Amino acid sequence: MAERRRRRRAGQKCRTGCVTALVMIAILGAGAAYGIPWAIDKFGGQVRETFNETVENAVNTLQPSGADFPDLTVAADDVADHFYYQQLTEEEQTVYRELLQGVNDMEECILVHAGKGERPEKAYEYLLYDCPELFWCIGSSQMTMYDTYTEFYPEYSCSLEERETRQNEIDAAVTDCMAGIDASAGEYDRIRYVFEYLVNTVDYDENAPDNQNIYSALVGTSSVCAGYSRAAQYLLDHMGIECIYVVGTAQGQEAHAWNIVNCGGNYYQMDVTFGDPVFMAAESGDDLPESIIYYDYLCCTDEEIAADHVQSDEVPYPSCVSDDLNYYRMNGMYYDSYDSQILLGAMNDSIYKKEELFVCKFPDRETYAQARNEMIDGLFPRAARTLASTYGLERVSYTYVEDETHNKIMVFWNYNAG
């Protein structure tokens, strides 16, 4: 497993202050900028210039000629529940199914019912968003367009024989993953399990091979946001839970991908990549625990994710407004108001239990600001005295992390400082 990079996200401080960067490599095949017009709005002329050059080099519009279309065996019912498929027109849905049939057979050239002036690459982009199982599809393509149809040439990352070998490896990884969750677990427990499983088994690595697909995350255990998000989608689909691949931007990251999950009929935002905060060394030179998980990105609301994410407005994603699955509230770490005695008592309890970490999250910036000042100057030193007296330490140390983005403070107790 690759060594974890020690980084911190903007808005989080660990005495010395830190920053982090996570990058998603967008799928930009022939003409894909059309499929994501928000990319041009966000990134400007550079994307437009790349798009124009790609189309000019890769798409040739020719005169009509005969086309012998194979029978379409992928029925509409087979993909009717796919989120992005539902956003397409009836004609585009036909192209989507033709492309799905073609890439499943790894055809070099796929004939699709889309002629001059139409955009089959949009259907292809949506297909890859819907189907994380198509790990052999790189996303780039070339096209030869006629008046009434298109010859579509997708690019594959491996041969058919290699694909079968990789699928077996993926199946084995899924089996290992599923072994850790009880078959009777409820929907939320399954979602949380997948979130934690990927945070704990995948390392963020921009140079990881195949980092845009599930093979990188599930088998290689190194990926970027596309791999994390597609792996979450793939695993939750195996568990019977609806999981949508979301595209947009993140603070300091430009292009980014994450998920929306359906739990109990309500939709929630989920970003596995941002749930995996790898820390820089503390000021003292001690490393903070790598096992810590940022649950702020598990089953959160649109409002909460909007603190550092902006999702694309190209498609109408489901609204995520329910906060009933807030991890911190569910686990007694959420404080609606600041009460010094309650917080000090909770910190002391965590010390008596010899817990590695104490977390307190507040509902808004004002409450957080009040708590932050008084906790750092007063409550932390008082709790440290409890630490010293309880465990007979001559000296004590602790490290606190300020998460201004999520109105949260974390304290790591050191039980071996004496």
Side-chain angles (χ1 to χ4, degrees):
M1 183 176 295
E3 181 180 356
R4 288 182 179 271
R5 300 183 177 194
R6 305 195 173 280
R7 297 184 174 184
R8 187 182 312 280
R9 199 161 294 114
Q12 301 165 1
K13 302 175 185 175
C14 179
R15 304 174 83 176
T16 55
C18 316
V19 295
T20 189
L22 304 174
V23 180
M24 171 191 172
I25 303 174
I27 298 174
L28 289 176
Y34 173 85
I36 46 172
W38 59 270
I40 294 177
D41 295 337
K42 297 289 184 185
F43 308 133
Q46 183 177 359
V47 171
R48 187 182 302 277
E49 181 179 349
T50 302
F51 164 65
N52 290 337
E53 182 179 352
T54 302
V55 172
E56 186 175 334
N57 292 338
V59 181
N60 303 306
T61 303
L62 306 176
Q63 295 301 314
S65 63
D68 186 14
F69 283 88
D71 293 335
L72 183 55
T73 59
V74 178
D77 288 346
D78 296 336
V79 293
D81 61 345
H82 291 187
F83 173 77
Y84 285 94
Y85 176 80
Q86 297 171 4
Q87 315 308 315
L88 298 172
T89 66
E90 185 176 350
E91 292 77 14
E92 290 171 331
Q93 288 177 345
T94 298
V95 174
Y96 178 109
R97 291 188 288 127
E98 290 172 329
L99 289 168
L100 176 56
Q101 179 171 306
V103 297
N104 272 331
D105 295 335
M106 294 189 72
E107 294 179 1
E108 179 181 353
C109 174
I110 305 170
L111 296 178
V112 297
H113 285 87
K116 186 165 56 177
E118 297 177 277
R119 297 290 181 175
E121 69 276 8
K122 176 184 175 182
Y124 190 51
E125 177 191 353
Y126 282 18
L127 171 65
L128 298 186
Y129 288 167
D130 275 336
C131 301
E133 66 271 18
L134 301 175
F135 62 87
W136 57 90
C137 298
I138 292 178
S140 58
S141 60
Q142 294 189 17
M143 297 178 291
T144 299
M145 303 189 75
Y146 298 88
D147 282 343
T148 58
Y149 71 94
T150 294
E151 294 175 349
F152 196 92
Y153 299 87
E155 185 176 353
Y156 303 119
S157 62
C158 59
S159 66
L160 179 59
E161 182 180 15
E162 291 170 331
R163 166 185 157 182
E164 293 174 352
T165 299
R166 292 186 181 191
Q167 184 65 65
N168 289 334
E169 293 177 287
I170 290 170
D171 292 343
V174 171
T175 298
D176 288 344
C177 173
M178 297 301 172
I181 181 74
D182 193 295
S184 63
E187 286 187 335
Y188 173 76
D189 290 333
R190 281 177 276 167
I191 293 169
R192 175 179 166 182
Y193 174 77
V194 167
F195 182 87
E196 293 174 338
Y197 177 84
L198 292 173
V199 167
N200 289 328
T201 60
V202 183
D203 289 315
Y204 187 87
D205 184 357
E206 296 173 15
N207 299 313
D210 300 295
N211 62 25
Q212 297 296 295
N213 64 57
I214 61 172
Y215 186 78
S216 62
L218 296 179
V219 179
T221 65
S222 294
S223 195
V224 295
C225 58
Y228 277 88
S229 302
R230 287 191 164 105
Q233 188 182 15
Y234 189 75
L235 292 171
L236 288 174
D237 181 66
H238 273 68
M239 295 181 174
I241 294 176
E242 180 185 6
C243 182
I244 300 168
Y245 185 86
V246 180
V247 294
T249 60
Q251 184 178 31
Q253 316 304 320
E254 294 189 345
H256 188 58
W258 63 98
N259 301 104
I260 288 176
V261 295
N262 186 336
C263 185
N266 292 324
Y267 286 97
Y268 302 86
Q269 299 276 356
M270 183 179 80
D271 189 342
V272 181
T273 312
F274 272 37
D276 189 1
V278 285
F279 296 99
M280 295 199 316
E283 184 177 6
S284 64
D286 297 328
D287 290 345
L288 297 179
E290 294 182 349
S291 59
I292 301 305
I293 295 176
Y294 264 62
Y295 289 99
D296 306 86
Y297 299 96
L298 169 64
C299 293
C300 62
T301 65
D302 289 333
E303 182 180 3
E304 290 169 325
I305 203 80
D308 46 21
H309 290 57
V310 178
Q311 65 188 23
S312 165
D313 58 5
E314 182 186 0
V315 298
Y317 290 111
S319 295
C320 305
V321 296
S322 177
D323 66 351
D324 60 319
L325 298 183
N326 183 295
Y327 173 86
Y328 300 99
R329 190 185 294 278
M330 293 171 68
N331 289 277
M333 304 174 186
Y334 193 96
Y335 298 84
D336 290 301
S337 60
Y338 173 70
D339 186 307
S340 61
Q341 292 306 308
I342 290 177
L343 277 167
L344 180 59
M347 277 190 276
N348 286 338
D349 285 343
S350 76
I351 291 171
Y352 296 145
K353 296 175 183 177
K354 210 170 185 179
E355 293 176 343
E356 179 181 50
L357 170 67
F358 174 78
V359 180
C360 51
K361 184 177 175 72
F362 302 96
D364 51 53
R365 185 57 54 85
E366 291 73 25
T367 308
Y368 165 80
Q370 177 191 11
R372 177 229 178 255
N373 293 334
E374 297 189 25
M375 290 176 72
I376 291 174
D377 296 334
L379 297 190
F380 289 168
R382 292 172 65 183
R385 289 195 289 271
T386 299
L387 179 64
S389 62
T390 302
Y391 297 101
L393 303 178
E394 295 183 1
R395 57 180 295 271
V396 296
S397 68
Y398 57 87
T399 302
Y400 61 89
V401 177
E402 306 169 46
D403 184 354
E404 298 171 357
T405 300
H406 302 103
N407 304 317
K408 183 182 66 180
I409 300 177
M410 298 181 291
V411 186
F412 300 87
W413 307 118
N414 185 348
Y415 296 90
N416 300 305

